[in-house]
DNA sequence: CTTTTTTAGTACGATATCGAACTATATAAT
DNA sequence: ATTATATAGTTCGATATCGTACTAAAAAAG
């Protein structure tokens, strides 16, 4: 990133954070690393999914089990930060594969509820079982505590980005 | 994630890292947060790009300026962890828009070199200038030092994922 | 020097992504 | 009660993504 100074406040921050890099650079590097890790982790998981299934298919099933079954498509789209149209497409694929069941929402004629099926639960479990050795290998390579340090900071960053976006 | 124990070693790790969560859960949460931050940061940047331009278009231009101009498509694909076909498509769009120039590699008849144009540099600069206020707002919200803590840990994780993938 | 193998980039086609616009339903305003 | 506005999900179409297979060129093997 070029060294053109930002607002005066940014100059102040330079001293507070990194002596050698302005915050714009820092954030670009941060988001770049995150983008690449995202793709690497997606490849890691997708290697263990049946052909033609992708990370988002697994992620939806996982969310229904881990967070709450029977959610509305809109809530799922928000949880994963994708447009409604993307979630509509993903759910159509999952329903067609028999991994979820879309039922009308009795409380709201406009909306649907997404329920995971037994086949969906089995799909998710198989993916997790197949991925476990890879994660075990990662665990062996990454020092204990680093993930514990990363997670809360990433969660904070995600919350701030989420909130910041709504403010604009 | 279910609480089914992993290999015996994982049981040992549980005590070492998190007392309440097995490592598979930890990594799933980690990758999930990263995936969402990736999408949020992509939206943040794409809001400041001209219509029909996406993060990867900017990222390639940025890479050519920040890292090295005149790189080969294969190197760019590797740098961004995308398949060759994805990079071919991205570069075709950029070339069509006059933001990069594809020239034959004088040392290797099979390959091309990607050079950023003046229009490409202006495109990148405009995006950065337009993004600066958003980043400044983030800087104000995220405690100093958190990014400094995050970056090296993410870089380490990315390197390990990169190397681990090549080992399989 | 010739042949075989590997590599860089592309073409093709199938599928994913997603903005715009739509319908049906719910909520808010009158 | 009626009308206006907002919302949930979908359809459509344009574009992005990417695996497979291809061509042309380079490197390796013989």
């Amino acid at each position: 990133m070029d060294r053109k100074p930002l607002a005066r406040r940014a100059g102040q921050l330079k001293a507070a954070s990194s002596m050698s890099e302005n915050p714009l650079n820092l954030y670009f590097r941060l988001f770049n690393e995150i983008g690449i890790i995202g793709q690497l982790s997606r490849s890691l998981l997708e290697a263990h999914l049946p052909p033609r299934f992708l990370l988002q298919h697994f992620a939806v099933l996982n969310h229904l089990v881990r967070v709450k079954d029977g959610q509305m498509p809109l809530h799922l789209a928000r949880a994963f930060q994708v447009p409604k149209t993307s979630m509509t497409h993903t759910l159509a694929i999952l329903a067609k594969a028999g991994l979820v069941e879309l039922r009308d929402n009795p409380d709201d004629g406009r909306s649907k509820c997404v329920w995971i099926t037994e086949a969906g639960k089995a799909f998710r479990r198989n993916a997790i079982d197949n991925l476990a050795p890879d994660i075990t290998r990662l665990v062996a390579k990454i020092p204990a505590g680093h993930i514990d340090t990363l997670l809360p900071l990433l969660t904070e960053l995600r919350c701030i980005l989420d909130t910041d976006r709504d403010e604009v």
PDB file of all heavy atoms in Angstrom, chain C residues 6-17:
ATOM      1  P    DT C   6       5.598 -37.106 -16.220  1.00  0.00           P
ATOM      2  OP1  DT C   6       6.026 -37.562 -14.891  1.00  0.00           O
ATOM      3  OP2  DT C   6       4.261 -37.450 -16.756  1.00  0.00           O
ATOM      4  O5'  DT C   6       5.760 -35.525 -16.276  1.00  0.00           O
ATOM      5  C5'  DT C   6       7.054 -34.965 -16.151  1.00  0.00           C
ATOM      6  C4'  DT C   6       6.979 -33.466 -16.363  1.00  0.00           C
ATOM      7  O4'  DT C   6       6.782 -33.182 -17.768  1.00  0.00           O
ATOM      8  C3'  DT C   6       5.827 -32.782 -15.617  1.00  0.00           C
ATOM      9  O3'  DT C   6       6.375 -31.715 -14.872  1.00  0.00           O
ATOM     10  C2'  DT C   6       4.894 -32.296 -16.730  1.00  0.00           C
ATOM     11  C1'  DT C   6       5.845 -32.147 -17.905  1.00  0.00           C
ATOM     12  N1   DT C   6       5.227 -32.283 -19.254  1.00  0.00           N
ATOM     13  C2   DT C   6       5.425 -31.279 -20.178  1.00  0.00           C
ATOM     14  O2   DT C   6       6.090 -30.279 -19.959  1.00  0.00           O
ATOM     15  N3   DT C   6       4.842 -31.494 -21.405  1.00  0.00           N
ATOM     16  C4   DT C   6       4.091 -32.592 -21.785  1.00  0.00           C
ATOM     17  O4   DT C   6       3.631 -32.675 -22.916  1.00  0.00           O
ATOM     18  C5   DT C   6       3.915 -33.604 -20.770  1.00  0.00           C
ATOM     19  C7   DT C   6       3.128 -34.828 -21.067  1.00  0.00           C
ATOM     20  C6   DT C   6       4.495 -33.403 -19.561  1.00  0.00           C
ATOM     21  P    DT C   7       5.419 -30.793 -13.954  1.00  0.00           P
ATOM     22  OP1  DT C   7       6.245 -30.410 -12.799  1.00  0.00           O
ATOM     23  OP2  DT C   7       4.121 -31.468 -13.768  1.00  0.00           O
ATOM     24  O5'  DT C   7       5.196 -29.509 -14.855  1.00  0.00           O
ATOM     25  C5'  DT C   7       6.325 -28.876 -15.430  1.00  0.00           C
ATOM     26  C4'  DT C   7       5.870 -27.751 -16.335  1.00  0.00           C
ATOM     27  O4'  DT C   7       5.325 -28.301 -17.558  1.00  0.00           O
ATOM     28  C3'  DT C   7       4.767 -26.879 -15.730  1.00  0.00           C
ATOM     29  O3'  DT C   7       5.150 -25.529 -15.888  1.00  0.00           O
ATOM     30  C2'  DT C   7       3.533 -27.218 -16.566  1.00  0.00           C
ATOM     31  C1'  DT C   7       4.162 -27.603 -17.894  1.00  0.00           C
ATOM     32  N1   DT C   7       3.346 -28.489 -18.763  1.00  0.00           N
ATOM     33  C2   DT C   7       3.161 -28.130 -20.071  1.00  0.00           C
ATOM     34  O2   DT C   7       3.631 -27.113 -20.560  1.00  0.00           O
ATOM     35  N3   DT C   7       2.434 -29.014 -20.818  1.00  0.00           N
ATOM     36  C4   DT C   7       1.862 -30.198 -20.383  1.00  0.00           C
ATOM     37  O4   DT C   7       1.228 -30.903 -21.146  1.00  0.00           O
ATOM     38  C5   DT C   7       2.096 -30.512 -18.995  1.00  0.00           C
ATOM     39  C7   DT C   7       1.523 -31.759 -18.407  1.00  0.00           C
ATOM     40  C6   DT C   7       2.823 -29.650 -18.261  1.00  0.00           C
ATOM     41  P    DA C   8       4.389 -24.377 -15.156  1.00  0.00           P
ATOM     42  OP1  DA C   8       5.428 -23.514 -14.564  1.00  0.00           O
ATOM     43  OP2  DA C   8       3.314 -24.942 -14.324  1.00  0.00           O
ATOM     44  O5'  DA C   8       3.699 -23.584 -16.359  1.00  0.00           O
ATOM     45  C5'  DA C   8       4.507 -22.857 -17.276  1.00  0.00           C
ATOM     46  C4'  DA C   8       3.612 -22.024 -18.179  1.00  0.00           C
ATOM     47  O4'  DA C   8       2.945 -22.908 -19.106  1.00  0.00           O
ATOM     48  C3'  DA C   8       2.517 -21.250 -17.442  1.00  0.00           C
ATOM     49  O3'  DA C   8       2.422 -19.959 -18.033  1.00  0.00           O
ATOM     50  C2'  DA C   8       1.258 -22.100 -17.656  1.00  0.00           C
ATOM     51  C1'  DA C   8       1.532 -22.800 -18.977  1.00  0.00           C
ATOM     52  N9   DA C   8       1.006 -24.167 -19.050  1.00  0.00           N
ATOM     53  C8   DA C   8       0.966 -25.107 -18.057  1.00  0.00           C
ATOM     54  N7   DA C   8       0.457 -26.268 -18.428  1.00  0.00           N
ATOM     55  C5   DA C   8       0.154 -26.077 -19.767  1.00  0.00           C
ATOM     56  C6   DA C   8      -0.409 -26.910 -20.749  1.00  0.00           C
ATOM     57  N6   DA C   8      -0.768 -28.171 -20.505  1.00  0.00           N
ATOM     58  N1   DA C   8      -0.583 -26.408 -21.987  1.00  0.00           N
ATOM     59  C2   DA C   8      -0.210 -25.139 -22.226  1.00  0.00           C
ATOM     60  N3   DA C   8       0.334 -24.248 -21.397  1.00  0.00           N
ATOM     61  C4   DA C   8       0.487 -24.784 -20.168  1.00  0.00           C
ATOM     62  P    DG C   9       1.383 -18.933 -17.475  1.00  0.00           P
ATOM     63  OP1  DG C   9       1.936 -17.594 -17.729  1.00  0.00           O
ATOM     64  OP2  DG C   9       0.944 -19.339 -16.123  1.00  0.00           O
ATOM     65  O5'  DG C   9       0.140 -19.150 -18.468  1.00  0.00           O
ATOM     66  C5'  DG C   9       0.347 -18.960 -19.873  1.00  0.00           C
ATOM     67  C4'  DG C   9      -0.880 -19.405 -20.621  1.00  0.00           C
ATOM     68  O4'  DG C   9      -1.000 -20.850 -20.512  1.00  0.00           O
ATOM     69  C3'  DG C   9      -2.198 -18.827 -20.103  1.00  0.00           C
ATOM     70  O3'  DG C   9      -2.756 -18.038 -21.145  1.00  0.00           O
ATOM     71  C2'  DG C   9      -3.040 -20.037 -19.746  1.00  0.00           C
ATOM     72  C1'  DG C   9      -2.369 -21.162 -20.524  1.00  0.00           C
ATOM     73  N9   DG C   9      -2.541 -22.484 -19.923  1.00  0.00           N
ATOM     74  C8   DG C   9      -2.242 -22.859 -18.637  1.00  0.00           C
ATOM     75  N7   DG C   9      -2.510 -24.114 -18.392  1.00  0.00           N
ATOM     76  C5   DG C   9      -3.008 -24.596 -19.597  1.00  0.00           C
ATOM     77  C6   DG C   9      -3.463 -25.892 -19.950  1.00  0.00           C
ATOM     78  O6   DG C   9      -3.535 -26.897 -19.251  1.00  0.00           O
ATOM     79  N1   DG C   9      -3.881 -25.954 -21.281  1.00  0.00           N
ATOM     80  C2   DG C   9      -3.845 -24.900 -22.164  1.00  0.00           C
ATOM     81  N2   DG C   9      -4.281 -25.132 -23.398  1.00  0.00           N
ATOM     82  N3   DG C   9      -3.424 -23.689 -21.845  1.00  0.00           N
ATOM     83  C4   DG C   9      -3.026 -23.608 -20.548  1.00  0.00           C
ATOM     84  P    DT C  10      -4.223 -17.438 -21.082  1.00  0.00           P
ATOM     85  OP1  DT C  10      -4.225 -16.186 -21.861  1.00  0.00           O
ATOM     86  OP2  DT C  10      -4.672 -17.460 -19.683  1.00  0.00           O
ATOM     87  O5'  DT C  10      -5.061 -18.528 -21.887  1.00  0.00           O
ATOM     88  C5'  DT C  10      -4.604 -18.937 -23.163  1.00  0.00           C
ATOM     89  C4'  DT C  10      -5.557 -19.942 -23.765  1.00  0.00           C
ATOM     90  O4'  DT C  10      -5.457 -21.190 -23.035  1.00  0.00           O
ATOM     91  C3'  DT C  10      -7.020 -19.512 -23.702  1.00  0.00           C
ATOM     92  O3'  DT C  10      -7.566 -19.650 -24.999  1.00  0.00           O
ATOM     93  C2'  DT C  10      -7.658 -20.462 -22.689  1.00  0.00           C
ATOM     94  C1'  DT C  10      -6.752 -21.686 -22.771  1.00  0.00           C
ATOM     95  N1   DT C  10      -6.655 -22.480 -21.516  1.00  0.00           N
ATOM     96  C2   DT C  10      -7.002 -23.812 -21.543  1.00  0.00           C
ATOM     97  O2   DT C  10      -7.407 -24.376 -22.537  1.00  0.00           O
ATOM     98  N3   DT C  10      -6.863 -24.464 -20.343  1.00  0.00           N
ATOM     99  C4   DT C  10      -6.406 -23.932 -19.156  1.00  0.00           C
ATOM    100  O4   DT C  10      -6.317 -24.618 -18.156  1.00  0.00           O
ATOM    101  C5   DT C  10      -6.058 -22.529 -19.201  1.00  0.00           C
ATOM    102  C7   DT C  10      -5.564 -21.850 -17.967  1.00  0.00           C
ATOM    103  C6   DT C  10      -6.192 -21.876 -20.367  1.00  0.00           C
ATOM    104  P    DA C  11      -9.037 -19.133 -25.294  1.00  0.00           P
ATOM    105  OP1  DA C  11      -8.999 -18.504 -26.619  1.00  0.00           O
ATOM    106  OP2  DA C  11      -9.547 -18.390 -24.127  1.00  0.00           O
ATOM    107  O5'  DA C  11      -9.853 -20.492 -25.411  1.00  0.00           O
ATOM    108  C5'  DA C  11      -9.383 -21.502 -26.294  1.00  0.00           C
ATOM    109  C4'  DA C  11     -10.364 -22.674 -26.300  1.00  0.00           C
ATOM    110  O4'  DA C  11     -10.172 -23.470 -25.116  1.00  0.00           O
ATOM    111  C3'  DA C  11     -11.823 -22.257 -26.309  1.00  0.00           C
ATOM    112  O3'  DA C  11     -12.513 -23.178 -27.163  1.00  0.00           O
ATOM    113  C2'  DA C  11     -12.248 -22.389 -24.850  1.00  0.00           C
ATOM    114  C1'  DA C  11     -11.366 -23.538 -24.365  1.00  0.00           C
ATOM    115  N9   DA C  11     -10.977 -23.470 -22.961  1.00  0.00           N
ATOM    116  C8   DA C  11     -10.517 -22.373 -22.276  1.00  0.00           C
ATOM    117  N7   DA C  11     -10.199 -22.628 -21.027  1.00  0.00           N
ATOM    118  C5   DA C  11     -10.462 -23.979 -20.882  1.00  0.00           C
ATOM    119  C6   DA C  11     -10.339 -24.855 -19.796  1.00  0.00           C
ATOM    120  N6   DA C  11      -9.872 -24.482 -18.596  1.00  0.00           N
ATOM    121  N1   DA C  11     -10.688 -26.146 -19.982  1.00  0.00           N
ATOM    122  C2   DA C  11     -11.143 -26.525 -21.191  1.00  0.00           C
ATOM    123  N3   DA C  11     -11.309 -25.787 -22.293  1.00  0.00           N
ATOM    124  C4   DA C  11     -10.943 -24.512 -22.065  1.00  0.00           C
ATOM    125  P    DC C  12     -14.068 -22.967 -27.505  1.00  0.00           P
ATOM    126  OP1  DC C  12     -14.264 -23.509 -28.858  1.00  0.00           O
ATOM    127  OP2  DC C  12     -14.459 -21.587 -27.174  1.00  0.00           O
ATOM    128  O5'  DC C  12     -14.795 -23.946 -26.469  1.00  0.00           O
ATOM    129  C5'  DC C  12     -14.380 -25.307 -26.411  1.00  0.00           C
ATOM    130  C4'  DC C  12     -15.083 -25.997 -25.265  1.00  0.00           C
ATOM    131  O4'  DC C  12     -14.400 -25.688 -24.026  1.00  0.00           O
ATOM    132  C3'  DC C  12     -16.531 -25.588 -25.067  1.00  0.00           C
ATOM    133  O3'  DC C  12     -17.337 -26.743 -25.290  1.00  0.00           O
ATOM    134  C2'  DC C  12     -16.617 -25.083 -23.630  1.00  0.00           C
ATOM    135  C1'  DC C  12     -15.365 -25.666 -22.996  1.00  0.00           C
ATOM    136  N1   DC C  12     -14.765 -24.851 -21.893  1.00  0.00           N
ATOM    137  C2   DC C  12     -14.453 -25.486 -20.684  1.00  0.00           C
ATOM    138  O2   DC C  12     -14.703 -26.684 -20.551  1.00  0.00           O
ATOM    139  N3   DC C  12     -13.883 -24.756 -19.697  1.00  0.00           N
ATOM    140  C4   DC C  12     -13.617 -23.454 -19.881  1.00  0.00           C
ATOM    141  N4   DC C  12     -13.044 -22.795 -18.888  1.00  0.00           N
ATOM    142  C5   DC C  12     -13.927 -22.797 -21.111  1.00  0.00           C
ATOM    143  C6   DC C  12     -14.489 -23.524 -22.080  1.00  0.00           C
ATOM    144  P    DG C  13     -18.941 -26.631 -25.414  1.00  0.00           P
ATOM    145  OP1  DG C  13     -19.346 -27.639 -26.408  1.00  0.00           O
ATOM    146  OP2  DG C  13     -19.306 -25.206 -25.564  1.00  0.00           O
ATOM    147  O5'  DG C  13     -19.432 -27.104 -23.977  1.00  0.00           O
ATOM    148  C5'  DG C  13     -18.857 -28.271 -23.406  1.00  0.00           C
ATOM    149  C4'  DG C  13     -19.190 -28.312 -21.938  1.00  0.00           C
ATOM    150  O4'  DG C  13     -18.350 -27.380 -21.211  1.00  0.00           O
ATOM    151  C3'  DG C  13     -20.640 -27.919 -21.617  1.00  0.00           C
ATOM    152  O3'  DG C  13     -21.140 -28.846 -20.676  1.00  0.00           O
ATOM    153  C2'  DG C  13     -20.507 -26.520 -21.015  1.00  0.00           C
ATOM    154  C1'  DG C  13     -19.160 -26.620 -20.332  1.00  0.00           C
ATOM    155  N9   DG C  13     -18.493 -25.347 -20.102  1.00  0.00           N
ATOM    156  C8   DG C  13     -18.501 -24.240 -20.902  1.00  0.00           C
ATOM    157  N7   DG C  13     -17.811 -23.241 -20.424  1.00  0.00           N
ATOM    158  C5   DG C  13     -17.303 -23.730 -19.225  1.00  0.00           C
ATOM    159  C6   DG C  13     -16.471 -23.105 -18.250  1.00  0.00           C
ATOM    160  O6   DG C  13     -16.007 -21.969 -18.270  1.00  0.00           O
ATOM    161  N1   DG C  13     -16.202 -23.961 -17.179  1.00  0.00           N
ATOM    162  C2   DG C  13     -16.671 -25.240 -17.065  1.00  0.00           C
ATOM    163  N2   DG C  13     -16.307 -25.909 -15.976  1.00  0.00           N
ATOM    164  N3   DG C  13     -17.444 -25.835 -17.971  1.00  0.00           N
ATOM    165  C4   DG C  13     -17.724 -25.026 -19.007  1.00  0.00           C
ATOM    166  P    DA C  14     -22.708 -29.029 -20.443  1.00  0.00           P
ATOM    167  OP1  DA C  14     -23.096 -30.328 -21.030  1.00  0.00           O
ATOM    168  OP2  DA C  14     -23.391 -27.769 -20.840  1.00  0.00           O
ATOM    169  O5'  DA C  14     -22.794 -29.150 -18.852  1.00  0.00           O
ATOM    170  C5'  DA C  14     -21.840 -29.950 -18.174  1.00  0.00           C
ATOM    171  C4'  DA C  14     -21.677 -29.440 -16.757  1.00  0.00           C
ATOM    172  O4'  DA C  14     -20.867 -28.238 -16.757  1.00  0.00           O
ATOM    173  C3'  DA C  14     -23.002 -29.062 -16.089  1.00  0.00           C
ATOM    174  O3'  DA C  14     -23.042 -29.658 -14.807  1.00  0.00           O
ATOM    175  C2'  DA C  14     -22.973 -27.538 -16.005  1.00  0.00           C
ATOM    176  C1'  DA C  14     -21.479 -27.251 -15.953  1.00  0.00           C
ATOM    177  N9   DA C  14     -21.109 -25.945 -16.488  1.00  0.00           N
ATOM    178  C8   DA C  14     -21.519 -25.366 -17.651  1.00  0.00           C
ATOM    179  N7   DA C  14     -21.015 -24.175 -17.860  1.00  0.00           N
ATOM    180  C5   DA C  14     -20.200 -23.962 -16.758  1.00  0.00           C
ATOM    181  C6   DA C  14     -19.380 -22.877 -16.378  1.00  0.00           C
ATOM    182  N6   DA C  14     -19.234 -21.781 -17.111  1.00  0.00           N
ATOM    183  N1   DA C  14     -18.705 -22.988 -15.215  1.00  0.00           N
ATOM    184  C2   DA C  14     -18.846 -24.108 -14.483  1.00  0.00           C
ATOM    185  N3   DA C  14     -19.583 -25.184 -14.741  1.00  0.00           N
ATOM    186  C4   DA C  14     -20.247 -25.052 -15.897  1.00  0.00           C
ATOM    187  P    DT C  15     -24.389 -29.526 -13.922  1.00  0.00           P
ATOM    188  OP1  DT C  15     -24.521 -30.801 -13.192  1.00  0.00           O
ATOM    189  OP2  DT C  15     -25.509 -29.001 -14.742  1.00  0.00           O
ATOM    190  O5'  DT C  15     -23.990 -28.405 -12.868  1.00  0.00           O
ATOM    191  C5'  DT C  15     -22.789 -28.568 -12.129  1.00  0.00           C
ATOM    192  C4'  DT C  15     -22.451 -27.290 -11.436  1.00  0.00           C
ATOM    193  O4'  DT C  15     -22.106 -26.274 -12.412  1.00  0.00           O
ATOM    194  C3'  DT C  15     -23.587 -26.695 -10.600  1.00  0.00           C
ATOM    195  O3'  DT C  15     -23.105 -26.569  -9.275  1.00  0.00           O
ATOM    196  C2'  DT C  15     -23.885 -25.355 -11.255  1.00  0.00           C
ATOM    197  C1'  DT C  15     -22.550 -25.044 -11.918  1.00  0.00           C
ATOM    198  N1   DT C  15     -22.599 -24.080 -13.044  1.00  0.00           N
ATOM    199  C2   DT C  15     -21.798 -22.967 -12.998  1.00  0.00           C
ATOM    200  O2   DT C  15     -21.047 -22.734 -12.057  1.00  0.00           O
ATOM    201  N3   DT C  15     -21.894 -22.133 -14.075  1.00  0.00           N
ATOM    202  C4   DT C  15     -22.694 -22.293 -15.184  1.00  0.00           C
ATOM    203  O4   DT C  15     -22.682 -21.470 -16.091  1.00  0.00           O
ATOM    204  C5   DT C  15     -23.509 -23.490 -15.183  1.00  0.00           C
ATOM    205  C7   DT C  15     -24.415 -23.762 -16.325  1.00  0.00           C
ATOM    206  C6   DT C  15     -23.418 -24.309 -14.123  1.00  0.00           C
ATOM    207  P    DA C  16     -23.989 -25.899  -8.114  1.00  0.00           P
ATOM    208  OP1  DA C  16     -23.735 -26.690  -6.895  1.00  0.00           O
ATOM    209  OP2  DA C  16     -25.360 -25.643  -8.592  1.00  0.00           O
ATOM    210  O5'  DA C  16     -23.252 -24.499  -7.947  1.00  0.00           O
ATOM    211  C5'  DA C  16     -21.850 -24.482  -7.683  1.00  0.00           C
ATOM    212  C4'  DA C  16     -21.409 -23.066  -7.385  1.00  0.00           C
ATOM    213  O4'  DA C  16     -21.452 -22.289  -8.603  1.00  0.00           O
ATOM    214  C3'  DA C  16     -22.273 -22.335  -6.378  1.00  0.00           C
ATOM    215  O3'  DA C  16     -21.411 -21.542  -5.561  1.00  0.00           O
ATOM    216  C2'  DA C  16     -23.200 -21.486  -7.247  1.00  0.00           C
ATOM    217  C1'  DA C  16     -22.328 -21.181  -8.450  1.00  0.00           C
ATOM    218  N9   DA C  16     -23.037 -21.054  -9.723  1.00  0.00           N
ATOM    219  C8   DA C  16     -23.881 -21.981 -10.299  1.00  0.00           C
ATOM    220  N7   DA C  16     -24.354 -21.609 -11.460  1.00  0.00           N
ATOM    221  C5   DA C  16     -23.781 -20.369 -11.671  1.00  0.00           C
ATOM    222  C6   DA C  16     -23.875 -19.437 -12.727  1.00  0.00           C
ATOM    223  N6   DA C  16     -24.606 -19.645 -13.814  1.00  0.00           N
ATOM    224  N1   DA C  16     -23.182 -18.290 -12.619  1.00  0.00           N
ATOM    225  C2   DA C  16     -22.434 -18.084 -11.531  1.00  0.00           C
ATOM    226  N3   DA C  16     -22.255 -18.874 -10.469  1.00  0.00           N
ATOM    227  C4   DA C  16     -22.964 -20.013 -10.605  1.00  0.00           C
ATOM    228  P    DT C  17     -21.989 -20.653  -4.416  1.00  0.00           P
ATOM    229  OP1  DT C  17     -20.917 -20.570  -3.416  1.00  0.00           O
ATOM    230  OP2  DT C  17     -23.349 -21.097  -4.033  1.00  0.00           O
ATOM    231  O5'  DT C  17     -22.122 -19.233  -5.124  1.00  0.00           O
ATOM    232  C5'  DT C  17     -20.947 -18.605  -5.610  1.00  0.00           C
ATOM    233  C4'  DT C  17     -21.311 -17.234  -6.146  1.00  0.00           C
ATOM    234  O4'  DT C  17     -22.045 -17.390  -7.378  1.00  0.00           O
ATOM    235  C3'  DT C  17     -22.192 -16.406  -5.208  1.00  0.00           C
ATOM    236  O3'  DT C  17     -21.546 -15.182  -4.986  1.00  0.00           O
ATOM    237  C2'  DT C  17     -23.513 -16.245  -5.976  1.00  0.00           C
ATOM    238  C1'  DT C  17     -23.061 -16.418  -7.417  1.00  0.00           C
ATOM    239  N1   DT C  17     -24.067 -16.928  -8.383  1.00  0.00           N
ATOM    240  C2   DT C  17     -24.306 -16.212  -9.536  1.00  0.00           C
ATOM    241  O2   DT C  17     -23.753 -15.154  -9.787  1.00  0.00           O
ATOM    242  N3   DT C  17     -25.214 -16.785 -10.392  1.00  0.00           N
ATOM    243  C4   DT C  17     -25.887 -17.976 -10.224  1.00  0.00           C
ATOM    244  O4   DT C  17     -26.668 -18.389 -11.067  1.00  0.00           O
ATOM    245  C5   DT C  17     -25.596 -18.673  -8.993  1.00  0.00           C
ATOM    246  C7   DT C  17     -26.282 -19.970  -8.697  1.00  0.00           C
ATOM    247  C6   DT C  17     -24.712 -18.131  -8.147  1.00  0.00           C
TER     248       DT C  17
END
